[in-house]
Amino acid sequence: MNIFRLTGDLSHLAAIIILLLKIWKSRSCAGISGKSQILFALVFTTRYLDLLTSFISLYNSCMKIIYIGCAYATVYMIYAKFRATYDGNHDTFRVEFLVVPVGGLAFLVNHDFSPLEILWTFSIYLESVAILPQLFMISKTGEAETITTHYLFCLGVYRALYLFNWFWRFYFEGFFDMIAIVAGVVQTILYCDFFYLYITKVLKGKKLSLPA
């Protein structure tokens, strides 16, 4: 494991913990897109089915279990425990416009036409766009809480670091995965505008606001 993957994993884990702590401490899921969290839960579920078929390392298995567990815990808090605070009126992105095309693409473009491989590919494609409902919700409300922006920033950093991880693996290991790299580039691009606003506003103590 290289430093880019390790720090990427830690950034991803930090994003998840930030979100869970935000919801738990405030007893509110205001400003959080439940639809994005459902998509992330679907991403982890379809990607980590290999937990049932193979063992790579203790670190690998533990991280996968943590991701899955935290994803469903977040969904539970949004749609059950703190449902009264969920702003469904602004969380209106049509996720079927993401899931259906991504499912079709995974079926057509994959490394191996097998159930597990198609589901893994589906998870890679879906993760690249799973944040769109959250970004759409922020643009619709016009602003975001600081803690929510920290969560999004950590997610963006995780994705960017994983791009460096792929470059590292290609250079030093000769490993190249076009599907993961292209999906990672797409996801990173989606965060670029947010990164600029985060650096120029949030880090200077200003409240992040986006055009509706």
Side-chain angles (χ1 to χ4, degrees):
M1 178 184 297
N2 60 70
I3 188 63
F4 297 114
R5 179 175 178 180
L6 178 60
T7 52
D9 286 345
L10 294 178
S11 180
H12 195 183
L13 184 60
I16 294 172
I17 292 174
I18 286 171
L19 184 64
L20 284 171
L21 288 178
K22 182 268 181 192
I23 297 174
W24 186 258
K25 286 188 174 182
S26 66
R27 317 298 286 180
S28 169
C29 53
I32 304 298
S33 169
K35 292 186 176 182
S36 269
Q37 297 309 312
I38 288 176
L39 292 180
F40 281 123
L42 184 58
V43 165
F44 297 139
T45 302
T46 54
R47 181 174 303 172
Y48 298 143
L49 290 172
D50 62 348
L51 279 169
L52 305 175
T53 61
S54 60
F55 177 80
I56 298 175
S57 68
L58 182 61
Y59 169 84
N60 184 275
S61 296
C62 286
M63 291 299 283
K64 290 177 179 179
I65 293 171
I66 289 172
Y67 288 153
I68 293 173
C70 288
Y72 281 98
T74 304
V75 171
Y76 167 75
M77 286 195 285
I78 293 174
Y79 288 100
K81 191 171 183 62
F82 304 118
R83 182 178 179 82
T85 65
Y86 169 55
D87 187 8
N89 292 328
H90 288 116
D91 193 14
T92 57
F93 192 95
R94 300 284 297 276
V95 294
E96 60 269 28
F97 291 157
L98 300 178
V99 175
V100 173
V102 162
L105 185 61
F107 192 78
L108 295 172
V109 183
N110 51 69
H111 294 309
D112 180 48
F113 197 74
S114 64
L116 282 181
E117 187 64 30
I118 291 173
L119 288 172
W120 179 87
T121 306
F122 170 81
S123 77
I124 295 295
Y125 293 151
L126 184 60
E127 186 183 18
S128 69
V129 294
I131 200 62
L132 282 176
Q134 180 66 65
L135 296 178
F136 179 78
M137 186 176 184
I138 292 175
S139 69
K140 196 170 183 180
T141 58
E143 60 183 29
E145 294 181 22
T146 300
I147 195 69
T148 304
T149 62
H150 292 334
Y151 157 71
L152 291 172
F153 182 76
C154 286
L155 273 186
V157 170
Y158 141 70
R159 191 67 269 175
L161 286 169
Y162 251 67
L163 284 181
F164 286 107
N165 164 62
W166 294 124
F167 295 147
W168 175 283
R169 294 192 65 185
F170 174 72
Y171 187 81
F172 290 101
E173 303 174 16
F175 181 84
F176 184 77
D177 189 329
M178 179 61 75
I179 289 176
I181 291 175
V182 171
V185 169
V186 170
Q187 189 173 359
T188 304
I189 290 173
L190 291 177
Y191 284 98
C192 284
D193 186 49
F194 173 81
F195 281 156
Y196 173 76
L197 292 173
Y198 183 89
I199 293 172
T200 58
K201 290 190 175 183
V202 177
L203 294 185
K204 293 182 179 180
K206 300 178 181 178
K207 193 167 186 178
L208 177 67
S209 59
L210 299 175

